[in-house]
Amino acid sequence: MKNYYQDFLIRDWVESDRTRAAEVISYVLSEYGLGWEPKGADRDVLHVEECYLATGGEFWVIEHQSQLVGTGAYYPIHRGEKAVEIRKMYLLPSIRGLGLGKYLLQQLEAAIARRGFQQIWIETASVLVEAVKLYESNGYTPATGVETTRCDRVYVKSLVNGYWSMVIGQ
């Protein structure tokens, strides 16, 4: 993945991004009073190769002026039918409100659809108000079965054939 939104570069994660990605995610979590959990919910950020790349997922970073300012990722899960979970979608406060979150979500959905997945799951916390609004305004419906301790909401979106066709240009 290598794509631009305005002057933001969205690209595949590389090993040298590990610490910077962790710092962005940790910062955003602390901003909302949520804890960084390197041995729990955030273990995947420190083990991207194992948790994303080796399982058929992707982990992307967003750069602005050579600074890492956001992340977004997904990996296959055993919940639902041909399902993935979008994870680690975080943007630093200085770049929110520019439409980048919506664009990132759309790019993740397009990549997921191209790979033939049929459902997208997202877990989040109610305090992440912007994230909740983004998911709800983009067709994600509330579901049950939160699996991550710090999360209290779970959403699902089905990718129907019409959506796939629109996304992959058929």
Side-chain angles (χ1 to χ4, degrees), residues 14 92 141 156:
V14 294
L92 290 177
T141 56
V156 64

Side-chain angles (χ1 to χ4, degrees), residues 10-170:
I10 303 170
R11 63 169 175 79
D12 288 323
W13 177 94
V14 294
E15 190 175 346
S16 60
D17 295 323
R18 191 180 323 274
T19 300
R20 294 186 311 155
E23 288 169 352
V24 166
I25 293 166
S26 176
Y27 180 86
V28 173
L29 288 169
S30 68
E31 174 189 5
Y32 289 91
L34 299 171
W36 165 253
E37 300 173 12
K39 294 184 179 178
D42 301 308
R43 178 188 175 280
D44 57 333
V45 178
L46 303 174
H47 301 277
V48 170
E49 298 91 342
E50 170 191 340
C51 297
Y52 292 92
L53 308 183
T55 64
E58 295 186 76
F59 196 106
W60 301 341
V61 296
I62 299 108
E63 285 186 352
H64 185 251
Q65 299 175 347
S66 300
Q67 298 296 313
L68 202 145
V69 295
T71 60
Y74 70 89
Y75 56 50
I77 58 172
H78 297 291
R79 174 193 274 183
E81 185 68 27
K82 291 188 178 180
V84 298
E85 181 176 348
I86 289 180
R87 295 183 49 85
K88 306 307 178 204
M89 209 173 129
Y90 292 101
L91 300 175
L92 290 177
S94 59
I95 62 163
R96 291 186 205 137
L98 303 174
L100 181 58
K102 182 176 181 176
Y103 182 80
L104 178 61
L105 182 61
Q106 290 170 342
Q107 294 303 304
L108 287 164
E109 289 175 346
I112 290 164
R114 280 192 299 272
R115 290 187 173 200
F117 292 103
Q118 296 177 3
Q119 279 188 333
I120 302 173
W121 292 79
I122 299 176
E123 291 192 8
T124 193
S126 295
V127 296
L128 298 169
V129 178
E130 297 91 344
V132 169
K133 182 179 176 186
L134 176 67
Y135 304 142
E136 290 180 351
S137 67
N138 282 277
Y140 288 82
T141 56
T144 58
V146 174
E147 297 175 348
T148 306
T149 311
R150 72 171 169 235
C151 295
D152 62 355
R153 292 179 182 238
V154 61
Y155 292 92
V156 64
K157 182 176 187 175
S158 293
L159 300 178
V160 296
N161 288 336
Y163 180 79
W164 283 7
S165 298
M166 176 189 73
V167 169
I168 58 179
Q170 295 181 343

